[in-house]
Amino acid sequence: MKYALVIPDGAADSPLEQLDGKTPLQAAHTPNLDRLAQLGRVGSVATTPPGMPCGSDVCSMSLVGYDPAKYHTGRAPLEAAALGVDIGPTDWVFRVNCVTVIDGKMQDHSAGAISSAESAQILKDFADQLDWPGAELIPGVGYRNILLDRSGGDWSELESTPPHDIPGQPLRKHLPTGGKNADKLRAFIEQSAAFLAAHPVNLTRTEMGESPATHLWPWGQGSKPALPAFQDKYGLNGAMITAVDLLAGICNLVGWTRIDVPGQTSYHDNDYAAAGRYAVDALADYDLVCVHIEAPDEAAHAADAATKVAAIEAIDEHVVGPVANALHLDRAADEDADQDDSVGRMLVLPDHYTLVDTRKHDPTPPPFLVVGRRIRNVVPRPFTEAGAADSDLHIEHGHELMEYFLRSGLRH
């Protein structure tokens, strides 16, 4: 039997005035998800363990079946794994955003969705004058980059803040604190601001009316993680389609194959149709195929409800629909489908809420939809936040959802 996991990142939300009191999931035209919800089961899942931050690193680790409380060592090491960075046992890794700060306040966590080429140039030039023995700046994708510290410094007590959690807030209230090395990171941020003020990339972006990268912002620090292979844990091989290094890092660490799909971005210019086509093709070679689409999350961080709705609709049309057809999910309710291995299973869910009104993540358990062979419902519910809240299916520990998805109702 084949399995598909579709993650519309950050798609869950609260009712919005600009959507006539509906959430983006409710407002979106999603005929495929609507049809599948009538066949499968809708519930909610707590993807953020108590005491842990509500971020895609924690929540996505839960979704692929690994307990973040046990395996999570920080966000940055996951992204470094996607880049093939060799992390030693005493090394520490930071995520470094190119950000835009205006009048001392965090304006944009992505420096206006700065391109990978622009970001890489900024990092290279800043690294040439950085006085930090053992430190290495590594370009990533877009505004997302990596700082690797091989100096043997201890960052275990450091507290850092994700820039997407503080839109419009004063920078000085969220500078790194804790431990004996926090001053080094604060100096790094201050030096980056002075260096970038007259950088040619920023001068060009400003002339074109685009947001400049005013600061480099380190956060999400951690050491090397060790995750057991998905094949060993669940007995299945897997593959992932994603434009985000964080998810690709998790993919690498659990032994999945990352499928390179042309046209994949973190925004609504993403080629959704290509993601759907490649996912369908990959089902021939892998037991489980995961498709992660970042666009709803980025739209919410930009407070853009209309684009969030459009992204959800595109995922429904170009990813959910074709993959559901490939798995023969319309036959899932047939009695003889229980004996037919060609009928697969699909799990669709956001990793977390991302609220348009606040532009932040929220740890409220997001809705999920599971549909396919030997999945039965008694009372069909819509795949929405309200539908999940009304359900009697609530997964308390997010990492246990994968076991439910793969094994529920099947003979072992």
Side-chain angles (χ1 to χ4, degrees), residues 120-169:
Q121 187 62 56
I122 283 173
L123 252 70
K124 177 182 181 301
D125 294 343
F126 183 64
D128 288 343
Q129 57 86 61
L130 179 64
D131 183 18
W132 184 340
E136 181 181 358
L137 282 166
I138 303 168
V141 178
Y143 62 88
R144 309 174 183 91
N145 305 287
I146 292 294
L147 169 63
L148 179 62
D149 180 17
R150 299 190 188 276
S151 68
D154 180 12
W155 299 96
S156 59
E157 297 181 9
L158 182 79
E159 295 184 11
S160 61
T161 303
H164 54 257
D165 280 356
I166 53 172
Q169 297 185 31

Side-chain angles (χ1 to χ4, degrees), residues 3 25 69 95 110 118 158 217 307:
Y3 301 86
L25 276 175
R95 160 80 169 270
S110 69
E118 291 172 310
L158 182 79
W217 185 265
T307 297

Side-chain angles (χ1 to χ4, degrees), residues 221-267:
Q221 68 280 353
S223 54
K224 184 177 183 177
L227 280 68
F230 192 87
Q231 179 88 50
D232 296 338
K233 188 174 174 65
Y234 295 104
L236 302 171
N237 64 17
M240 178 182 286
I241 294 168
T242 183
V244 176
D245 278 347
L246 166 63
L247 272 295
I250 294 175
C251 168
N252 288 352
L253 288 169
V254 303
W256 285 359
T257 299
R258 183 182 185 181
I259 300 175
D260 185 18
V261 180
Q264 298 308 289
T265 77
S266 296
Y267 304 96

Side-chain angles (χ1 to χ4, degrees), residues 329-409:
L329 295 184
D330 281 338
R331 296 187 48 220
D334 299 344
E335 290 187 8
D336 62 350
D338 287 351
Q339 311 304 322
D340 186 351
D341 277 348
S342 70
V343 178
R345 285 186 174 183
M346 177 184 283
L347 174 63
V348 184
L349 75 165
D351 48 348
H352 50 65
Y353 279 63
T354 307
L355 305 181
V356 167
D357 278 348
T358 66
R359 298 168 58 189
K360 298 180 183 180
H361 296 169
D362 183 278
T364 301
F368 72 85
L369 164 63
V370 60
V371 57
R373 184 181 174 207
R374 293 186 180 272
I375 300 292
R376 296 286 185 270
N377 69 40
V378 177
V379 179
R381 304 180 190 280
F383 177 58
T384 62
E385 298 85 354
D390 289 341
S391 172
D392 61 354
L393 179 56
H394 305 288
I395 307 294
E396 182 178 358
H397 304 290
H399 65 279
E400 296 177 353
L401 177 60
M402 180 59 71
E403 182 74 24
Y404 175 82
F405 171 50
L406 299 178
R407 308 299 186 213
S408 177

Side-chain angles (χ1 to χ4, degrees), residues 290-309:
C290 174
V291 184
H292 169 263
I293 305 291
E294 179 75 359
D297 182 71
E298 290 290 359
H301 284 309
D304 186 346
T307 297
K308 186 169 185 177
V309 170

Side-chain angles (χ1 to χ4, degrees), residues 177-191:
T177 60
K180 59 183 179 181
N181 292 317
D183 287 348
K184 183 180 290 188
L185 277 195
R186 290 196 293 268
F188 177 94
I189 294 170
E190 183 178 347
Q191 291 165 11

